[in-house]
Amino acid sequence: MSELSIIKHTYDLLFWYTPILNRLPRDHKLMLGNRVMNGLHDLLEQLIIAQYEKEKLSRLTTLNSKLDILRHQTRLLLDFELLSIKRYQYASKQLDQIGGELGGWIKQQQKALA
């Protein structure tokens, strides 16, 4: 099975975000940075698992809410002035792209069940 573009985009975002999160000040790195990092790792892992499952819909729906949490955590990084506007815009664009692909995958699965 070839890699789905949503998996590639999630991997690319995780790869881009890692050095940024690793450079956060200690107090923010241990809480917010680790939460974002763990959220992205979990998102990637769950997307990989979902591509092989027969019943994908419940997993994908759960991932949609996790993606929304990542959006808010990224906004917190901006509000705490730990992320530049330019980096925030890039991360937001990537999260929106992943969200669009996830939404399309959810709709596809809903149609398959109908």
Side-chain angles (χ1 to χ4, degrees):
M1 176 180 281
S2 64
E3 183 176 72
L4 297 174
S5 65
I6 189 171
I7 292 172
K8 182 184 181 330
H9 290 131
T10 304
Y11 175 92
D12 291 345
L13 180 59
L14 179 58
F15 185 81
W16 174 84
Y17 233 148
T18 298
I20 294 166
L21 296 172
N22 284 336
R23 287 191 299 266
L24 291 176
R26 181 176 160 79
D27 54 337
H28 291 288
K29 181 180 177 181
L30 294 177
M31 288 298 293
L32 186 54
N34 284 344
R35 285 179 181 256
V36 172
M37 186 74 71
N38 290 337
L40 285 168
H41 278 282
D42 188 48
L43 180 64
L44 179 62
E45 184 178 297
Q46 295 301 311
L47 288 168
I48 292 169
I49 291 169
Q51 77 175 334
Y52 295 103
E53 287 183 323
K54 288 186 180 196
E55 301 295 325
K56 302 172 186 333
L57 191 55
S58 64
R59 185 177 306 272
L60 296 176
T61 303
T62 300
L63 289 179
N64 209 21
S65 61
K66 289 183 184 239
L67 187 61
D68 200 35
I69 291 168
L70 285 167
R71 284 185 178 109
H72 282 82
Q73 290 169 334
T74 297
R75 185 170 162 208
L76 275 173
L77 288 168
L78 175 70
D79 291 344
F80 283 127
E81 298 178 354
L82 300 167
L83 200 60
S84 70
I85 295 282
K86 185 176 178 180
R87 286 183 171 171
Y88 172 75
Q89 289 171 336
Y90 177 82
S92 294
K93 182 180 174 186
Q94 299 309 306
L95 289 167
D96 287 346
Q97 178 160 1
I98 292 166
E101 290 179 273
L102 182 58
W105 200 1
I106 289 170
K107 285 180 184 176
Q108 176 198 40
Q109 293 301 306
Q110 289 171 332
K111 285 181 183 178
L113 291 175

